[in-house]
């Protein structure tokens, strides 16, 4: 499923291609690209739920947390998110790339991926997808894009 999400993000969203495509046409294109039908439907559902997170029915507990609060992870979150991933989420919050609401959206989207353990690179791409989808997060998206694409190839001395 994550491969389908990456393909969609790089092909349509990140490349500024036309996004308004019929779902049947998109499904057929993804099938021609070699993706399995069940993975395509899972990815499209994942994206639809991401888009729906901004409805007025969104749970309000996320926006009620104090800026200085610390996120405590549930056992099922600890099982899927490594210490490296949790540390990177904290770094993104401290760098003001994520706030409490976008952090929770990222965690929610990560836990819905069909992988047993989330890799750091997967986390970075999900953060970019979430920030791209959240209105008013253009600067945070740009910062995240720089973190993902401008990584140095060697050790700095």
């Amino acid at each position: 499923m994550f491969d389908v999400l990456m393909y969609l993000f790089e092909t349509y969203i990140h490349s500024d291609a036309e996004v308004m495509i019929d779902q049947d046409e998109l499904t057929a294109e993804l099938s021609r690209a070699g993706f399995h039908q069940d993975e395509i439907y899972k990815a499209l559902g994942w994206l639809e739920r991401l888009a729906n997170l901004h409805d007025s029915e969104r749970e309000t507990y996320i926006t009620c947390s104090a800026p200085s609060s610390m996120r405590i992870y549930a056992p099922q979150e600890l099982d899927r998110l490594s210490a490296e991933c949790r540390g990177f989420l904290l770094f993104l919050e401290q760098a003001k790339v994520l706030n409490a609401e976008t952090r929770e959206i990222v965690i929610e989207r990560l836990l819905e991926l069909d992988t047993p353990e989330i890799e750091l690179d997967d986390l970075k791409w999900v953060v970019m997808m979430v920030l791209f989808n959240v209105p008013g997060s253009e600067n945070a998206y740009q910062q995240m894009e720089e973190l993902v694409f401008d990584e140095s190839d060697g050790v700095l001395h």
Side-chain angles (χ1 to χ4, degrees):
M1 175 177 79
F2 192 74
D3 291 334
V4 178
L5 291 171
M6 290 295 303
Y7 178 86
L8 288 170
F9 188 73
E10 290 177 340
T11 303
Y12 294 103
I13 298 172
H14 193 254
S15 67
D16 293 330
E18 180 61 40
V19 180
M20 299 302 286
I21 296 175
D22 180 70
Q23 186 168 346
D24 293 333
E25 183 182 322
L26 182 60
T27 302
E29 179 187 328
L30 290 168
S31 292
R32 285 190 302 272
F35 296 109
H36 296 287
Q37 200 81 13
D38 60 329
E39 296 299 312
I40 294 168
Y41 289 130
K42 285 179 189 177
L44 293 176
W46 189 95
L47 288 170
E48 185 176 329
R49 286 185 292 282
L50 173 61
N52 291 335
L53 286 176
H54 304 293
D55 292 343
S56 60
E57 299 170 5
R58 179 80 177 131
E59 297 177 41
T60 58
Y61 72 90
I62 293 173
T63 58
C64 295
S65 64
S68 61
S69 63
M70 177 64 116
R71 174 66 155 81
I72 305 297
Y73 290 88
Q76 62 270 27
E77 295 169 337
L78 291 170
D79 288 343
R80 303 268 315 277
L81 299 170
S82 67
E84 184 180 32
C85 287
R86 294 188 312 268
F88 190 71
L89 284 169
L90 180 60
F91 163 75
L92 291 176
E93 270 192 275
Q94 291 172 341
K96 306 285 190 235
V97 173
L98 295 177
N99 58 31
E101 181 178 10
T102 54
R103 176 200 63 219
E104 291 304 311
I105 294 170
V106 166
I107 292 170
E108 185 175 3
R109 298 289 80 219
L110 285 168
L111 294 178
E112 197 171 318
L113 293 175
D114 60 355
T115 56
E117 186 172 321
I118 311 300
E119 301 291 328
L120 183 59
D121 285 338
D122 299 344
L123 166 77
K124 290 176 183 180
W125 283 103
V126 169
V127 170
M128 286 184 60
M129 289 179 209
V130 167
L131 292 175
F132 185 85
N133 191 62
V134 174
S137 297
E138 293 80 13
N139 289 337
Y141 176 83
Q142 185 177 6
Q143 285 179 283
M144 190 62 203
E145 195 173 39
E146 290 171 6
L147 285 171
V148 170
F149 294 117
D150 292 342
E151 292 179 341
S152 61
D153 294 327
V155 177
L156 298 178
H157 296 281

